[in-house]
Amino acid sequence: LHRPLFHILFKSFPSFCRFLLKLFKLSGTISPGSYKLIYASSKPTLQTNGVANFGISTAGEELYLTNENGAILDHFETGYLRVGTTSGREKDDYSGSRVFFENATPGEANGRTIGSYLNAPEFSLEGGFYEGSITLELSGEGVIYYTTDGTTPDRNGQRYVGPITISENTAISAICYQEGRLQSDPAVSTYLFSDPHKLPVVCLTMD
C-alpha cells in the first residue's frame, strides 16, 4: 500500500451515512506481510501520537479501510468483545472470517485461535422469593462452576455435579467452561427466603 489510507469506524447505524463515521488517516507504507499497530481511544486526552480518534465498544463495531477517495478496501466487524479478549482474522486467511485468539499479539502475526464464547448456564428456577427450601438445577455446555455468595466463579471454584439445595438467602453465580472455547459470561440469580415485601424488590449482585 503506497498511498495514505483512512481507517474508518462505523458505529452500526441503520444506514451508511458518511457524516456518522469517524476518520483516522494512516501515514507511511504497509509492505506485504508486515503489520501496522494502531491504538484507539475514545478519550480526547489520549488521542495523541498516532492514537486513533475513536474507541471500539465491547458491544461491537464495524471498521472500514478505504483509499484516499473513500473506496472501501476492507471491512471487519468486531462483534461482541469481552474485556481482555481479542478477535481478528487468521494469518493468510483472506475470507474475512472472524476468529478469537488465545493471546493478543500487537505488532505481530495473529496467533493461535480459540473457539467462540460458550453460552451462559441456565437455571431451573428464576430468582425471587421462596418458602422452605428449593432444589436448583444448572445446565449448560462443558463444565459448570458456581459460587453461592454472588462472586464470579472461575475454574478454582465449586464444580456443579448435581442439584443444589437452598434454604436461605443466596446469590448463585455460575459459568460454563470448556477447553478450547471462551468461557461463558456469568449467569446470576438471587433466591430470597425472607418475608415477601409489598413493594417490588430489586437485587443487585456484584463482586
Side-chain angles (χ1 to χ4, degrees), residues 24-46:
F24 180 70
K25 188 173 183 179
L26 299 176
S27 60
T29 299
I30 305 176
S31 302
S34 63
Y35 314 95
K36 188 175 182 67
L37 179 61
I38 302 170
Y39 289 99
S41 176
S42 57
K43 298 180 179 180
T45 55
L46 299 179

Side-chain angles (χ1 to χ4, degrees), residues 74-105:
D74 203 354
H75 166 235
F76 181 73
E77 295 185 23
T78 68
Y80 168 68
L81 287 172
R82 188 184 299 141
V83 174
T85 302
T86 179
S87 71
R89 296 175 182 160
E90 288 190 83
K91 182 181 178 182
D92 299 326
D93 178 6
Y94 302 102
S95 67
S97 300
R98 173 181 181 245
V99 296
F100 296 93
F101 301 101
E102 287 187 337
N103 300 295
T105 54

Side-chain angles (χ1 to χ4, degrees), residues 19-144:
F19 68 89
L20 295 176
L21 303 180
K22 291 188 177 180
L23 310 180
F24 180 70
K25 188 173 183 179
L26 299 176
S27 60
T29 299
I30 305 176
S31 302
S34 63
Y35 314 95
K36 188 175 182 67
L37 179 61
I38 302 170
Y39 289 99
S41 176
S42 57
K43 298 180 179 180
T45 55
L46 299 179
Q47 295 170 358
T48 58
N49 300 325
V51 176
N53 60 338
F54 55 77
I56 299 176
S57 171
T58 55
E61 302 282 11
E62 295 182 32
L63 302 175
Y64 291 85
L65 185 68
T66 76
N67 63 16
E68 56 190 356
N69 297 318
I72 296 174
L73 304 177
D74 203 354
H75 166 235
F76 181 73
E77 295 185 23
T78 68
Y80 168 68
L81 287 172
R82 188 184 299 141
V83 174
T85 302
T86 179
S87 71
R89 296 175 182 160
E90 288 190 83
K91 182 181 178 182
D92 299 326
D93 178 6
Y94 302 102
S95 67
S97 300
R98 173 181 181 245
V99 296
F100 296 93
F101 301 101
E102 287 187 337
N103 300 295
T105 54
E108 301 177 3
N110 289 330
R112 182 179 174 183
T113 62
I114 190 171
S116 61
Y117 299 102
L118 292 167
N119 293 320
E122 296 184 356
F123 296 1
S124 62
L125 297 173
E126 294 184 355
F129 285 96
Y130 291 87
E131 295 181 358
S133 65
I134 60 173
T135 299
L136 177 67
E137 296 183 2
L138 309 180
S139 59
E141 306 169 276
V143 180
I144 298 175

